[in-house]
Amino acid sequence: MANFIIDKSVSSKVREDISDAVLKKLDGMKHEISNRQPIIQKRRDFYEGRHDKWTNVTGQPSKKQEGHILATFNYILKFCQKIVSVLVNQPPKIKIVPKDESNEIETSRSEALESAVRQVFKDNKFFPVKMEKAAVSQVRDGDFVIDCRVIKNQDTDQPEIKITPNEDVLKVSVGWDDASGTSFSSITFSDLWTLDKIKREYDFEAEPVGDEKTANASSRGSHNNDQYGIFSNASGSDAETVPDGIAKVPKARVTDYWGWEVIDGKAKVINIIYINKDLKQFVVTDYKDIPKKVGHSFVVAGKPWSMGFIDPLIDPQLELNDRTGEEGDLVRVGSHMKFLVLNMPDFDAKSVKPGSGQVIFLEGENVDFKPLQMSISPFPSDVYLDRVMEHMFNLGLPKIALSAGTAPYTGRVAAIQYQPVADLVESFRGKWNDVLEDLIKQIQQYLIDYFPETHSFMRESIMTEEGMFEDGELVIRDVTFDWDNILPLSRSDKVVDASTLRDRGAISLHTYLEQVGFPDPAKEIKKMKMEHKDEDLMTLLQKFNEFSPGAVKASIEARKAMVESEAQMAESNQILQNQPTPAVKAPLRSQEQNDQRGIPSAMGTPTGQTASARGAVAQTSQNINAQSGV
């Protein structure tokens, strides 16, 4: 059970002063959160399909109007899903760079570190689950936060590294050091926990708070007397597209604060936990850095938070839905029959079928009841809607990205149309590289500080001038990432490109194996070394290499002989063409040859083909005999 901890190494006076300063800081951060809330809520509305709350019509607070069609085509969600799918479908290959690649011991230790890092990611289900959650936050909200810390396993009582994404960026407040968004002095995650969870995690009886979710009140219009919704108020609440799971269960607010504080003249990372506003935990940690990492999407100069991928798509999506709804109203009104009633005051309008539309009354001398002739042309609206949709695709992703997988678009001939997708995903991957690099370096620091069994490969191996190897200090090694190519490049193309560079000596064998697709090049190189130590296998390979050039040479000579034969035949045909054409002795055709089908030339097949294989053979024999004069 993870009970609350009060660090006794710090005096109560220092703890109280720091806690009061943190509370004032958190009160000042409320304005920053409320400033981000409207735009992030708008992004989530369009991601989840709540377009009915938004409109471009001036004076109309809500799109919902009684009696009107409400079109909510959610292209934004498809754009976001495509980007997230391409981003997380193939996670990057991680390589820990040894301090000295020529040092075999250092290289083997780097490989052992790679295995340890992969195991940490595997234990946390990072790439299949948590990376996708963070990627959705990156594409939808513009930014994402990942938490990585060392906790004690309740079952084994041993330390373990825990990685979790903070999925709701509205619950995160960051004390940025500057407007670049690259460094911060504090970060806080605040959320409502059930009293049961607080009791289970911290063995503390908390008091519930009445922090309930409030829905944005919006007015609706009436088709008859208030078309733009300025007089009436909404009744009831709008249904959520995705259930949020919020229930009326007693909860308390848990605030988890991480920040740098100067204690005894040294800057240290502290962790403070508040239940509601009561201080319940104060710890001066041994962490070398704050265990939360913030990632971005589209960086905006002068602002620490990012611009969302959804932002430029919102207005075209609104315009498309508004105009499509108006078009639907136009078609609906025009598709129902209207009746014109002349001088029939006693006519019962309710006798007309409701789905037929309206009855228009006119008074005059003649009595008549007839359908009203109407003609509606949606042509201008169709052209405008096509233009708006094309504009949306140009802003987001090309249509090829949404319909990829159909036969005409899967070849490299359409690769240029995938380029906008590649450029966009490469930008997101660049932000992930920064976060993953900091994350893996922090994992290495945790291995050094909390897992002494890893020190055997965390130490650097140094080669002395005498050619001897000795252990150095515990080090944090650099890391590189290799993402799969987004463009539709075949495996054979990769092999050819890598083989060309390898033949010219431009890349190493390790890099060559990486580029041709081997998941673990170092392992393959070790297998090669073991094979070279096998004398019997080397003898077989030597014989094979001796026979292989002969087989290749024979194939080249056969190809050369065939080309020469074709050239001689072409020369003979040219001589025959210059001579007078002899009379052709054409024997009588057989019954199969006379039975022919006429095939339309539009299908790309010549006419006059024989109807059976036997007829084709007979016709070919007849032509040969005729040419030879037999």
Side-chain angles (χ1 to χ4, degrees):
M1 183 174 296
N3 295 330
F4 288 110
I5 301 173
I6 299 297
D7 198 331
K8 300 298 184 179
S9 63
V10 181
S11 64
S12 59
K13 179 65 169 59
V14 174
R15 290 198 304 268
E16 292 176 0
D17 292 342
I18 294 177
S19 177
D20 293 341
V22 169
L23 286 176
K24 292 180 181 179
K25 186 187 299 184
L26 295 180
D27 288 337
M29 296 298 294
K30 291 181 179 179
H31 172 72
E32 191 271 340
I33 297 177
S34 62
N35 188 28
R36 285 188 289 130
Q37 196 275 337
I39 180 58
I40 292 181
Q41 186 60 49
K42 189 174 185 180
R43 294 168 183 170
R44 294 177 182 178
D45 285 344
F46 279 86
Y47 180 83
E48 298 179 15
R50 293 187 292 271
H51 300 186
D52 54 279
K53 295 182 178 180
W54 305 91
T55 180
N56 283 336
V57 179
T58 303
Q60 180 178 338
S62 175
K63 286 185 63 178
K64 283 188 176 180
Q65 302 173 49
E66 296 178 1
H68 282 271
I69 288 178
L70 177 62
T72 54
F73 299 110
N74 197 350
Y75 288 102
I76 286 180
L77 175 62
K78 300 304 295 181
F79 288 150
C80 295
Q81 287 178 334
K82 177 61 67 173
I83 292 299
V84 172
S85 175
V86 178
L87 182 61
V88 303
N89 184 37
Q90 292 292 338
K93 299 175 183 176
I94 300 172
K95 178 183 179 181
I96 303 296
V97 182
K99 295 292 184 179
D100 183 6
E101 295 191 2
S102 63
N103 187 333
E104 294 184 0
I105 297 179
E106 172 65 14
T107 301
S108 63
R109 292 180 178 180
S110 300
E111 294 173 0
L113 177 57
E114 283 184 22
S115 300
V117 171
R118 291 196 194 98
Q119 189 63 43
V120 171
F121 284 136
K122 182 178 179 180
D123 293 340
N124 285 273
K125 298 182 179 179
F126 181 77
F127 288 115
V129 178
K130 297 179 180 179
M131 182 180 179
E132 183 174 0
K133 287 180 174 291
V136 170
S137 179
Q138 180 188 28
V139 177
R140 183 193 64 184
D141 298 337
D143 303 277
F144 63 99
V145 180
I146 292 179
D147 183 282
C148 179
R149 65 180 76 179
V150 177
I151 65 173
K152 183 176 290 186
N153 191 299
Q154 296 182 1
D155 297 330
T156 62
D157 202 32
Q158 296 297 321
E160 65 178 5
I161 300 175
K162 192 71 174 178
I163 305 175
T164 55
N166 298 148
E167 299 176 42
D168 192 348
V169 294
L170 283 176
K171 297 178 180 178
V172 177
S173 57
V174 182
W176 299 105
D177 291 334
D178 49 40
S180 64
T182 56
S183 63
F184 48 86
S185 296
S186 65
I187 184 170
T188 307
F189 183 79
S190 181
D191 197 6
L192 291 175
W193 284 16
T194 62
L195 303 185
D196 293 338
K197 182 175 181 179
I198 295 175
K199 175 67 175 177
R200 184 173 63 253
E201 293 287 336
Y202 298 113
D203 193 19
F204 176 74
E205 299 289 344
E207 294 294 329
V209 295
D211 194 350
E212 300 291 341
K213 179 183 178 183
T214 59
N216 294 329
S218 59
S219 61
R220 296 182 184 178
S222 170
H223 181 61
N224 295 320
N225 57 8
D226 186 15
Q227 191 169 4
Y228 293 106
I230 59 177
F231 299 117
S232 60
N233 292 325
S235 60
S237 59
D238 296 329
E240 297 285 346
T241 303
V242 181
D244 53 21
I246 296 178
K248 292 184 179 180
V249 178
K251 296 181 180 180
R253 180 164 293 279
V254 178
T255 303
D256 187 13
Y257 171 86
W258 291 85
W260 289 97
E261 296 292 340
V262 177
I263 300 178
D264 296 334
K266 294 182 180 180
K268 297 183 179 180
V269 177
I270 67 170
N271 175 225
I272 300 178
I273 292 180
Y274 299 93
I275 302 295
N276 298 331
K277 285 192 175 181
D278 298 330
L279 176 63
K280 296 301 178 183
Q281 177 165 303
F282 187 101
V283 177
V284 179
T285 71
D286 296 329
Y287 290 165
K288 303 300 187 295
D289 196 6
I290 295 176
K292 291 182 181 289
K293 310 301 176 185
V294 181
H296 304 287
S297 57
F298 296 102
V299 178
V300 179
K303 296 183 179 180
W305 295 104
S306 302
M307 184 178 186
F309 169 71
I310 293 177
D311 295 350
L313 300 176
I314 288 178
D315 284 337
Q317 178 75 82
L318 279 174
E319 188 71 11
L320 180 65
N321 286 338
D322 282 344
R323 296 297 172 255
T324 305
E326 294 178 358
E327 181 76 7
D329 280 340
L330 181 66
V331 174
R332 183 192 58 180
V333 172
S335 62
H336 292 293
M337 181 65 68
K338 307 298 183 295
F339 295 96
L340 180 64
V341 180
L342 298 177
N343 299 327
M344 297 178 63
D346 296 334
F347 178 78
D348 185 10
K350 295 182 180 179
S351 64
V352 181
K353 188 178 180 181
S356 61
Q358 295 174 323
V359 178
I360 302 173
F361 292 91
L362 295 177
E363 294 183 0
E365 298 179 356
N366 300 323
V367 177
D368 194 8
F369 178 82
K370 60 182 179 181
L372 180 64
Q373 300 296 325
M374 297 183 67
S375 177
I376 297 177
S377 174
F379 174 72
S381 298
D382 290 342
V383 175
Y384 180 71
L385 290 174
D386 290 340
R387 196 163 71 240
V388 172
M389 185 176 293
E390 191 68 28
H391 180 60
M392 254 198 99
F393 280 116
N394 290 335
L395 285 175
L397 299 174
K399 293 181 182 180
I400 181 70
L402 295 180
S403 61
T406 56
Y409 299 114
T410 51
R412 284 192 75 184
V413 67
I416 189 64
Q417 294 181 324
Y418 283 85
Q419 195 60 49
V421 187
D423 294 340
L424 187 60
V425 175
E426 286 294 342
S427 176
F428 283 114
R429 286 177 171 179
K431 307 303 185 300
W432 269 102
N433 285 344
D434 296 336
V435 173
L436 289 176
E437 183 177 2
D438 293 341
L439 186 62
I440 292 176
K441 287 186 177 181
Q442 187 152 24
I443 291 175
Q444 294 185 61
Q445 187 65 57
Y446 289 160
L447 295 178
I448 293 175
D449 296 339
Y450 301 98
F451 299 88
E453 64 273 13
T454 65
H455 291 181
S456 58
F457 56 80
M458 293 302 300
R459 292 187 181 277
E460 180 185 6
S461 176
I462 303 174
M463 180 182 293
T464 63
E465 296 180 355
E466 293 79 11
M468 303 296 292
F469 298 98
E470 62 182 21
D471 292 338
E473 299 292 332
L474 294 169
V475 295
I476 295 178
R477 297 176 174 87
D478 294 331
V479 58
T480 59
F481 306 96
D482 181 19
W483 300 79
D484 277 358
N485 196 342
I486 300 171
L487 298 180
L489 191 66
S490 65
R491 176 75 177 271
S492 60
D493 292 329
K494 295 181 181 179
V495 173
V496 170
D497 294 341
S499 299
T500 302
L501 295 175
R502 175 62 179 168
D503 293 341
R504 296 178 179 179
I507 58 176
S508 64
L509 179 60
H510 190 281
T511 304
Y512 169 76
L513 295 176
E514 278 184 335
Q515 293 186 5
V516 299
F518 285 93
D520 192 350
K523 186 177 181 180
E524 295 299 324
I525 293 177
K526 289 182 178 180
K527 290 181 180 179
M528 292 180 185
K529 292 180 179 179
M530 293 178 62
E531 288 180 350
H532 281 289
K533 296 179 181 179
D534 191 334
E535 297 181 357
D536 295 337
L537 179 60
M538 288 297 101
T539 302
L540 292 175
L541 287 177
Q542 183 179 1
K543 295 296 182 181
F544 175 80
N545 292 331
E546 291 177 357
F547 290 123
S548 180
V552 173
K553 183 178 180 181
S555 177
I556 294 175
E557 291 178 351
R559 177 61 183 171
K560 183 178 179 181
M562 184 178 65
V563 172
E564 292 177 353
S565 176
E566 291 177 353
Q568 293 177 0
M569 185 177 296
E571 184 178 356
S572 301
N573 292 337
Q574 185 67 27
I575 296 174
L576 292 175
Q577 289 178 2
N578 295 332
Q579 297 179 357
T581 303
V584 178
K585 299 180 180 180
L588 294 176
R589 293 190 175 190
S590 63
Q591 183 179 358
E592 292 83 359
Q593 289 175 286
N594 293 326
D595 184 11
Q596 295 182 348
R597 293 197 192 109
I599 300 177
S601 59
M603 296 177 61
T605 308
T607 61
Q609 291 185 352
T610 56
S612 64
R614 180 181 177 187
V617 173
Q619 183 178 355
T620 303
S621 301
Q622 178 260 326
N623 291 335
I624 293 175
N625 293 335
Q627 291 179 2
S628 61
V630 179

